[in-house]
Amino acid sequence: MMEGAPPDVKRRRIPAADGSPQRMRCLTDLPSGILAHAASFLNSPSKALFAIALDDDSAASPNERSSAIVGNQWSILDFGDIEMDLAIKLNDDDIEKVLMCIDAVNKVKRLKLANCVNITGVGLEPLRGSIIIEQIDLSLVAHHKSPDLESAPQISCDHVLPILDSIIASEGCLLRYVQFTQVWLQEPSTDSDFHQFIQRYNQMWENRGAISCLECNQSLPSGTTTNQWIGTNPFSPDYGTQNNTCYDCFKHYCYDCELNFCSTCRTDYCDDCTKMSDCQFCDDSHCNDCYKHACRECNEKICLDCVEREFHCYKCEDCHEVFCLECSNFEPGMSCCGQCNDRSCDDCRFRKFRHGEQDCKECEVRIAPLIALWY
């Protein structure tokens, strides 16, 4: 009995609209629906960057393909969603194209420029006059990160402030929260354009009428040196920072009720949005998400500042685990071996002993219980 013919497994070309074979030479030859499906697996900023990469300058204004790729859900544009290495490389031209591609002036309510340290701010021009944007985060750092940057960013008041002015001057403006880069706050001057903008921003809030704490009904803003929505006292640590407002939900509270200040990210959060804990040693309050260290033995939270200053704690130089001095068994005031200055934890000392790398008698005395168990 003869076997049947093998099935035809050759790929067939998809005919074009005119019936001729269709050749796919690059991604732009694919139908918009396929590209949109592929983009659905990307985070929001990556979708816009993908659309721009495909259409280059033509994606700067919405078209059929870019609109299919980016979609309509753009209430939040957070560049912290993409890899830090990529965000650092973005320039003003990239940011401007993204904002135009997604029609940000009519769609974006929250803009966070995390890690976009190479922009001057001129790329924010598409946001001019927006009446729907509610939050603009110009700190240039990711969520729950210290606002201190390793090097000065390029962002300039000369480019950004006119755009912000156009927003707060617009009738029906909904702007509720602005966070500035720390660089602008380091050398405050009451004669600066930045200081003048802060005063105009505070006046915008005054024009909105009375606002009270949602918990105790106390009149706001309060609890700061100037009792302004953004601090205007150049000698106060709250200069240039928004007060009495939760960063996440924008609800207003006094500092005696549900609002807490994180000493790491230097931001206010209400109890519902972010949980905070006091550092075991300095008693400063920090977001739980801002803590990077806890004692490996007792699990008490220790803030980064205390770890860097070795305030009642030390970090093992080998495994990088952190220990409070109460759990380390060092003499008071000591965070290393008094004989060889070894800064390892006992487990790492024991590991080096087993490999013949430990020849300090004082270190061997410390790990004697571990050596006894080993033998």
Side-chain angles (χ1 to χ4, degrees), residues 299-317:
N299 206 38
E300 288 288 342
K301 290 181 172 60
I302 306 173
C303 73
L304 180 61
D305 185 54
C306 286
V307 171
E308 291 179 344
R309 293 188 297 118
E310 295 186 344
F311 185 61
H312 296 296
C313 63
Y314 84 100
K315 180 190 288 188
C316 172
E317 62 184 3

Side-chain angles (χ1 to χ4, degrees), residues 179-191:
Q179 189 163 6
F180 302 107
T181 175
Q182 195 69 19
V183 175
W184 292 0
L185 314 182
Q186 290 176 347
E187 296 181 1
S189 169
T190 56
D191 297 325

Side-chain angles (χ1 to χ4, degrees), residues 330-331 334-343 349 360-363 366:
F330 277 120
E331 294 296 324
M334 295 289 291
S335 60
C336 63
C337 173
Q339 181 174 332
C340 69
N341 292 323
D342 190 300
R343 304 178 64 79
R349 282 190 174 90
C360 172
K361 297 301 180 183
E362 184 174 329
C363 287
R366 280 188 54 85

Side-chain angles (χ1 to χ4, degrees), residues 20-35:
S20 62
Q22 189 175 17
R23 295 182 180 274
M24 299 294 177
R25 292 189 176 90
C26 61
L27 282 176
T28 53
D29 292 332
L30 291 171
S32 298
I34 294 177
L35 294 173

Side-chain angles (χ1 to χ4, degrees), residues 175-248:
L175 189 60
R176 304 173 68 183
Y177 199 106
V178 180
Q179 189 163 6
F180 302 107
T181 175
Q182 195 69 19
V183 175
W184 292 0
L185 314 182
Q186 290 176 347
E187 296 181 1
S189 169
T190 56
D191 297 325
S192 67
D193 292 338
F194 176 64
H195 187 86
Q196 301 307 312
F197 171 77
I198 292 176
Q199 292 182 317
R200 291 191 293 273
Y201 180 83
N202 286 333
Q203 184 60 52
M204 176 198 72
W205 276 100
E206 289 296 321
N207 295 341
R208 291 177 176 177
I211 297 177
S212 301
C213 171
L214 292 176
E215 187 70 18
C216 69
N217 208 36
Q218 178 181 338
S219 179
L220 299 177
S222 68
T224 63
T225 56
T226 56
N227 288 338
Q228 297 284 341
W229 288 106
I230 288 186
T232 55
N233 182 353
F235 304 105
S236 172
D238 69 356
Y239 178 78
T241 60
Q242 182 131 354
N243 300 308
N244 299 113
T245 310
C246 174
Y247 177 90
D248 280 343

Side-chain angles (χ1 to χ4, degrees), residues 318 346-357 367:
D318 292 318
D346 289 351
D347 287 343
C348 289
R349 282 190 174 90
F350 180 56
R351 176 183 52 79
K352 288 188 281 189
F353 172 83
R354 290 169 54 192
H355 289 85
E357 302 170 359
I367 60 175

